[in-house]
Amino acid sequence: MTQVHESGAVANQSNLGSNEHMAMVSQYSAHNYEPLPVVISRGEGSWVWDVEGNKYLDCLSAYSALNFGHSHEGILEAFIDQARKLTLTSRAFQNDQFGPFCEEITKFTGMDMVLPMNTGAEAVETAIKTTRKWGYKVKGVEHDKAQIICCTGNFHGRTTTVISFSDDPQTKDGFGPFTPGFPLVEYGSIDALQAAITPNTVGFLFEPIQGEGGVVVPPDGFLKQVREICTKNNILMIDDEVQTGLGRTGRRFAVDHEDVKPDIIIMGKALGGGVMPVSGIVASKEILGVFNPGDHGSTFGGNPLACAVARKAIKTLVEDDLAGQSDTKGQAFREKLRAANCSKIKEVRGKGLLIGIEMTEEAGAAKPWCKKLMAEGMLCKDTVENVMRIAPPLNISEADLDWALERIINVLQ
Ligand SMILES: *Cc1c(COP(=O)(O)O)cnc(C)c1O
């Protein structure tokens, strides 16, 4: 079935086989996921090894949290160095990593201020709270009337408020009552956005490419038009770059494809360098200035270990030009895959190394094809039912990417 036993000795320290691990998970863990049947025990660069020592190419990168690959030397070093010095103070005290992190991330994003959190969903919640408070304090919207427009097909995380504006029935089933104040408009439609704006609208929350929605790229010019409409109507343009940010789409941020500056950028996933959860939002002083001590917070947000890792992640992104690498490699990959004219593929889309492969109706759901690819030594994941997402680490070698391409073409031919 799978690959060589390159490192069996290192891999199977616990002496449990994959089946035993999967049985434990099935018995003792809530069944809120249905993972591929592979139990990984080691990762290096773009490759991972299972407990039996089989080797796989990681073409999911933990939903883009592993933009730098597994066990990135520099990031691991920053992580371990900082872990030996200081890991947590809470924001009740200051720490010597937080200030430099704030300066570096605001300069990197061209914004004035940052508010750090841990997970993507928390950062989205933070953007919502910021936008609402801005709406009341700065825009002058009547108490408790603020509306933030969201998009059909969106994915912004799993908290109760965030799922309140999902339009995926399973995401919401059994979790009501929901938070009000989030009208939905069709993703990619400027007319729909324009029509939904009222005097109580305070923000428009969107993904510049919908990742979980099936790698949906909006029409050219959409982001520019969103910027214009938001400015004209005095509403905040809230850009969720948790998945698309930090080089994934071939630019530092996906909005850079249209040279657009949003009011709030939400970051997460890759910001933690693949070693820990780090998230946050950046915005202008006028917007993040709405907060006073005690308004909002997080015990782990801005912790020194997270700050040291995020600083190194940003530095690595810039120094290694990972956005540029992602752009070139992604474009070549899509061109080659389209040229192969695979009979099971309806469409190949995406930007940079965020790639969606939509299956033909005949080929059906993407998941069985992901399982076939797993048997060939390649790990990837369906997003919506009929779309396979290919999103390897941005520093993947061209040879490895070609290797993946060969497998995909063989399986989908
Ligand atoms: C993954 C994701 C989130 C949520 O991040 P978590 O860390 O899983 O809470 C939010 N927005 C987008 C666009 C995402 O892809």
Side-chain angles (χ1 to χ4, degrees):
M1 204 168 103
T2 32
Q3 306 290 299
V4 282
H5 280 247
E6 251 182 42
S7 58
V10 184
N12 195 4
Q13 283 162 351
S14 64
N15 295 318
L16 293 180
S18 289
N19 287 334
E20 289 152 291
H21 279 286
M22 291 189 281
M24 281 166 89
V25 171
S26 174
Q27 182 172 354
Y28 297 114
S29 151
H31 293 183
N32 58 326
Y33 276 92
E34 193 187 11
L36 284 179
V38 56
V39 181
I40 299 167
S41 60
R42 193 166 75 85
E44 200 184 305
S46 303
W47 294 88
V48 294
W49 286 261
D50 71 10
V51 290
E52 276 83 22
N54 302 304
K55 184 182 174 189
Y56 305 87
L57 187 65
D58 184 351
C59 289
L60 176 64
S61 314
Y63 304 90
S64 298
L66 284 160
N67 281 3
F68 307 93
H70 295 267
S71 318
H72 184 280
E73 201 62 53
I75 288 171
L76 265 191
E77 204 175 273
F79 177 72
I80 292 165
D81 280 357
Q82 186 59 39
R84 289 190 195 282
K85 282 189 219 150
L86 180 73
T87 53
L88 185 62
T89 54
S90 84
R91 297 283 307 278
F93 312 131
Q94 306 244 2
N95 72 70
D96 70 352
Q97 287 296 312
F98 187 53
F101 161 75
C102 294
E103 179 172 6
E104 285 162 25
I105 198 166
T106 50
K107 294 214 158 121
F108 172 73
T109 53
M111 296 285 196
D112 301 331
M113 289 180 166
V114 60
L115 202 168
M117 285 279 142
N118 312 285
T119 67
E122 281 178 315
V124 172
E125 292 270 358
T126 299
I128 290 168
K129 288 174 77 175
T130 305
T131 303
R132 284 182 167 184
K133 210 169 189 64
W134 173 88
Y136 300 125
K137 284 177 80 161
V138 180
K139 184 167 179 172
V141 168
E142 193 188 328
H143 179 68
D144 277 359
K145 290 280 197 291
Q147 294 204 321
I148 296 174
I149 300 173
C150 304
C151 299
T152 55
N154 74 72
F155 181 85
H156 297 284
R158 298 291 199 165
T159 60
T160 321
T161 285
V162 170
I163 62 165
S164 294
F165 46 85
S166 172
D167 64 352
D168 169 24
Q170 193 196 351
T171 296
K172 302 178 83 158
D173 183 34
F175 299 127
F178 300 110
T179 311
F182 301 100
L184 287 190
V185 299
E186 189 196 335
Y187 183 66
S189 167
I190 278 296
D191 293 343
L193 171 60
Q194 181 73 64
I197 293 171
T198 73
N200 291 333
T201 306
V202 293
F204 175 56
L205 171 64
F206 66 96
E207 301 151 87
I209 293 176
Q210 288 187 329
E212 298 313 300
V215 191
V216 181
V217 183
D220 278 347
F222 176 69
L223 302 170
K224 260 205 164 78
Q225 286 176 294
V226 167
R227 177 66 278 174
E228 281 165 21
I229 287 191
C230 287
T231 304
K232 202 172 84 198
N233 292 280
N234 194 25
I235 65 184
L236 300 188
M237 178 174 181
I238 314 162
D239 175 23
D240 183 347
E241 298 257 7
V242 170
Q243 184 161 161
T244 51
L246 304 179
R248 174 51 60 186
T249 73
R251 298 287 186 276
R252 289 184 180 195
F253 294 98
V255 285
D256 296 347
H257 283 286
E258 295 191 11
D259 287 321
V260 160
K261 187 173 177 186
D263 296 301
I264 297 178
I265 302 177
I266 308 172
M267 281 171 281
K269 293 201 166 113
L271 191 57
V275 299
M276 62 187 303
V278 185
S279 73
I281 69 168
V282 289
S284 68
K285 200 170 167 186
E286 190 201 24
I287 294 167
L288 272 175
V290 298
F291 283 109
N292 290 314
D295 284 348
H296 186 48
S298 160
T299 303
F300 281 83
N303 73 74
L305 188 53
C307 290
V309 166
R311 292 177 66 194
K312 187 65 188 186
I314 292 169
K315 195 159 183 262
T316 304
L317 185 85
V318 174
E319 284 178 358
D320 295 356
D321 186 25
L322 288 180
Q325 289 195 41
S326 167
D327 196 31
T328 317
K329 290 173 198 167
Q331 209 157 320
F333 185 93
R334 274 187 299 279
E335 275 165 22
K336 287 182 201 168
L337 186 54
R338 283 181 191 128
N341 274 322
C342 295
S343 57
K344 310 233 165 14
I345 298 180
K346 183 176 170 194
E347 188 187 34
V348 181
R349 56 180 182 250
K351 284 190 176 163
L353 283 172
L354 181 55
I355 297 156
I357 302 174
E358 184 171 337
M359 315 300 298
T360 59
E361 216 160 289
E362 210 180 28
K367 186 151 188 174
W369 299 105
C370 294
K371 284 195 176 149
K372 288 198 171 73
L373 283 168
M374 181 186 142
E376 299 289 317
M378 186 185 145
L379 300 179
C380 61
K381 170 88 173 65
D382 47 310
T383 60
V384 289
E385 175 86 10
N386 60 344
V387 179
M388 186 186 289
R389 166 181 28 202
I390 305 292
L394 306 184
N395 51 14
I396 187 174
S397 73
E398 276 167 40
D400 286 348
L401 202 53
D402 282 340
W403 185 91
L405 191 68
E406 229 173 82
R407 260 100 209 130
I408 294 170
I409 292 170
N410 282 341
V411 165
L412 298 184
Q413 200 63 277

